[in-house]
Amino acid sequence: MAKRFNRSQGRRPFTKLKSSGTISKKSRQAEPIDVRNKYPGSQDDRYKKHVKTTTFEDDVEEDVEEENEYNEEEEEDEDEDEDGDEEDEEEEIEPPSEPSVFDNLLKKLDTTSNSRAEVHQKRGRKSIKGGDSEDERDDEDDEEDDFNGSDDNIDRNSGKGDAITSSDDELTDLTVDDDFSDAENGLGEDIAEGLSSSSQSQSNFGIHITHKLSTEDIEKLLTRKWKYKWNMPALESSNCIWMGTGDSLQKDSVATAPFGVKLKLYKHWLEVYNKSGGIDFQSSKQRMFFSLCNSYRDILHHHKKPFYQKGLDEDSSTMDAYIMHSLNHVFKTKDIISKNDAKLSKNQETAREEVITSDSFLDQGFTRPKVLILLPLASIALRFVRRLIQLTPSAHKVNVEYMDRFNKDFGADEEDDDDIEAKDSKLKKPSKPSDYQSLFGANNNDHFMVGIKFTRKSIRLYSDFYSSDMIVASPLGLITKIGEAEANKEKDVDYLSSIEILVVDHADVISMQNWSHVNTVVEHLNLLPSKQHGGDIMRIRQWYLDAHAQFYRQTIILSSYLNPDINALFNRHCLNFEGKLRLSCEHKGVLPKVILQVSQVYERFDTDSIVEADDARLNYFINKIFPKIKNSIQGGIMLFISSYFEFVRIRNFLKTQNASFCLLGEYTKQSDISRARNWFIKGQRKIMLYTERAHFYHRYKIRGIQNLIIYSLPERKEFYPEVLNMLEEGSHNMTCTVLFSRFDQLRLERIVGSAAAKKMASSEKGLFIFK
């Protein structure tokens, strides 16, 4: 891993172009090419092809510190004068005859550098002549911005005009905060002391964005071999520990207030926390989880108790933490751009030369959006956005635009919901479990996408994606746009090219929808854009131009359980150079929640690899289980199946055997479901096939079950006792048979407990009975 930035190193020295294609900062021009066609294949293939043609200096750009930036301005001007003298003495060398991939990309994107310089000069002339105030300019920019960035109206042909407006917005969106003055004006000596100490060292944000990766570092990341070297207790759960790669986080890197947060954000966060009745903020769950997020490492939290399972406090604390982390990242990014814009406006004559020669002005990505939040349902998105607005400081939410439209699209009026709920509770007892009511009782639309833009005094919902700071979407909503871009060359999803923080919340619910959508979305993140979208090419960070953005993206995955799909995404597609954090938990199991006195027989089938597990399971069922069913005259046999793929295989097998069965799956029509349940209760069909997803979305109470065969264990542990408790009480023939292999370890330990699962997977015996 490359060393952290050392301020004694100063600016990156100028380098000369070599015949082999070595790149310097001065070679940011070349002939335009089609970038999309130039980079076929996976990101790994593109990177390997890229490093063969270009090499870069391994020095790191100078960090931009929030508290003391203006104090160093005069020193930087003197350094630039000295560097300018050295540059005049450098020998000019002809560039290579054939431009490299890097040169071609720069040429393709370098279409607005001159216009940006003109903008700086124009704004400078306005300030001299007493032109419009910042508030007026911000309002004008807001009027020009396209506000139709919703899922039902987000088509773009070029996006260039709005993107240029977005870039201009960044000049006036946020003012520079004097954090030390605020500290002296009422936060106490401990916070002032924390600010003073933090001013002498880089924040985690500054360290992260200025870190320079070497070729060896990237090749090591692409091996995808992770070693978890240390652990620490997980305060949110007594039976879990955090494991991590890289350096230990046993002690907070920022142990004093404001804990690495912008002061205005921290003050408002603390105020909201205290008003909600919280005590001891420093040791609170949300503050502790924020410290993990602020480490900028990839995080896999798979033991989060969701709000719909009576885990509102834990779920809200976790959400508050990643919201504050996202806001902090967005606001600090905007502050750096605003400060650099202010510097350039003061020195209009030398502005372009300063941008070319100084790494401190590399402060942007290809496009504006920096945070992507993936959520499964519109009701959860409504909950997230409302909390986001609450945690945004009052000065930045004087006006929340299109909130009424958002409430209408993503949820019903709160008073109406309360009235309906009260009315229903009086009329009848809910037929569905409480967790089902909490999750699906509101807007359960799973196809949405909305942009959120922060200006100096307002929050704009439904902002155009290219002018948004944050995008909130469902996987299906994003997949739709990706499909449209692939079908129509005039459309694109380049607004995903500069995502620096990805949050996948309620991943367990998303896995019940279609997890492959998440994989597709992640594969489309941090790709080189297909066209220019209005940013200043001369101020794009080097690691974006090097196609290394995926190694700087932080991914936070939050779920109530872990499965192989989530695990694979975290291990294969999360390549953050900072390292990884993940939970390791001991499970107690859910067997005590089975009310009925029924013998639960676990039968293990052996298989050599996970690839062969599905075939081995089917063969075991055909050879060991089905002959007993076929020869029995007893009906009321339910086959509970976890995945739709297994459901189809069993259905096709039963058809070949002319078996008497009915179907109850996630794609079964409502009329067929009613008919199947009636046949099964009356004994007109001997076997019923029932899938986990059908139970997740409908929570049917099936009557007439006498023999339960769990073909594959459910992902959601709470479904196991629910299904077993549907057995017909009073029947003397009640039985339950469960098939499993050692590759079902994750599901098995959630149901029988971690200790029992380890014994069952390694024991020489293959039959286990629980009563």
Side-chain angles (χ1 to χ4, degrees), residues 279-347:
I279 56 175
D280 192 10
F281 176 77
Q282 183 163 353
S283 60
S284 63
K285 291 181 179 179
Q286 58 183 271
R287 214 289 295 174
M288 293 300 179
F289 190 71
F290 172 82
S291 68
L292 300 182
C293 296
N294 195 45
S295 70
Y296 278 91
R297 303 189 185 204
D298 291 331
I299 299 175
L300 175 56
H301 186 348
H302 57 80
H303 198 65
K304 186 189 74 166
K305 192 172 184 179
F307 69 91
Y308 54 86
Q309 291 182 347
K310 300 179 180 180
L312 181 61
D313 180 64
E314 179 180 343
D315 200 341
S316 298
S317 296
T318 304
M319 183 174 67
D320 284 0
Y322 75 71
I323 286 177
M324 290 306 302
H325 177 56
S326 301
L327 286 173
N328 193 47
H329 186 86
V330 168
F331 280 23
K332 283 192 173 185
T333 299
K334 293 166 74 68
D335 278 356
I336 291 177
I337 295 174
S338 296
K339 291 175 182 180
N340 284 338
D341 288 341
K343 287 184 179 182
L344 295 175
S345 64
K346 290 181 180 180
N347 303 281

Side-chain angles (χ1 to χ4, degrees), residues 99-204:
S100 67
V101 172
F102 183 81
D103 290 327
N104 288 329
L105 175 62
L106 292 177
K107 181 61 179 178
K108 176 151 184 84
L109 298 178
D110 191 14
T111 59
T112 60
S113 296
N114 292 329
S115 62
R116 288 287 290 187
E118 293 174 359
V119 168
H120 292 311
Q121 295 175 2
K122 182 178 180 180
R123 289 181 182 251
R125 289 194 296 269
K126 281 186 178 182
S127 62
I128 295 174
K129 297 179 180 179
D132 296 338
S133 64
E134 285 187 356
D135 291 344
E136 292 172 345
R137 291 200 305 271
D138 197 43
D139 293 339
E140 290 175 0
D141 289 337
D142 287 346
E143 291 176 2
E144 294 175 3
D145 187 20
D146 182 8
F147 61 87
N148 292 324
S150 62
D151 184 57
D152 58 351
N153 189 8
I154 58 178
D155 296 335
R156 294 176 60 89
N157 292 329
S158 66
K160 189 170 182 178
D162 289 331
I164 294 177
T165 302
S166 169
S167 298
D168 293 340
D169 282 343
E170 298 191 12
L171 299 176
T172 56
D173 277 346
L174 296 175
T175 57
V176 179
D177 301 327
D178 188 348
D179 286 344
F180 288 103
S181 298
D182 288 339
E184 294 172 357
N185 289 335
L187 277 189
E189 295 180 359
D190 55 338
I191 299 180
E193 181 181 354
L195 285 169
S196 178
S197 61
S198 64
S199 67
Q200 298 174 7
S201 62
Q202 295 185 24
S203 66
N204 289 344

Side-chain angles (χ1 to χ4, degrees), residues 21-87:
T22 303
I23 303 302
S24 72
K25 277 266 323 251
K26 298 195 296 183
S27 63
R28 291 186 169 230
Q29 294 183 1
E31 294 298 324
I33 61 168
D34 188 345
V35 177
R36 176 176 291 178
N37 295 334
K38 189 69 177 178
Y39 287 87
S42 65
Q43 289 190 357
D44 295 356
D45 296 335
R46 293 197 294 272
Y47 167 72
K48 293 177 181 178
K49 183 175 180 180
H50 179 67
V51 296
K52 290 180 180 180
T53 59
T54 60
T55 57
F56 302 89
E57 293 296 325
D58 196 32
D59 298 307
V60 181
E61 62 184 277
E62 183 176 4
D63 178 47
V64 181
E65 295 187 17
E66 183 179 30
E67 286 80 13
N68 60 4
E69 176 117 7
Y70 285 104
N71 295 334
E72 297 179 354
E73 185 175 352
E74 294 182 0
E75 297 179 4
E76 291 180 359
D77 291 338
E78 294 175 2
D79 293 341
E80 288 166 3
D81 293 339
E82 294 175 3
D83 291 342
D85 295 338
E86 295 177 2
E87 182 182 0

Side-chain angles (χ1 to χ4, degrees), residues 14 26 82-91 353 357:
F14 289 105
K26 298 195 296 183
E82 294 175 3
D83 291 342
D85 295 338
E86 295 177 2
E87 182 182 0
D88 293 336
E89 298 175 359
E90 284 190 355
E91 179 183 357
E353 184 65 22
T357 58

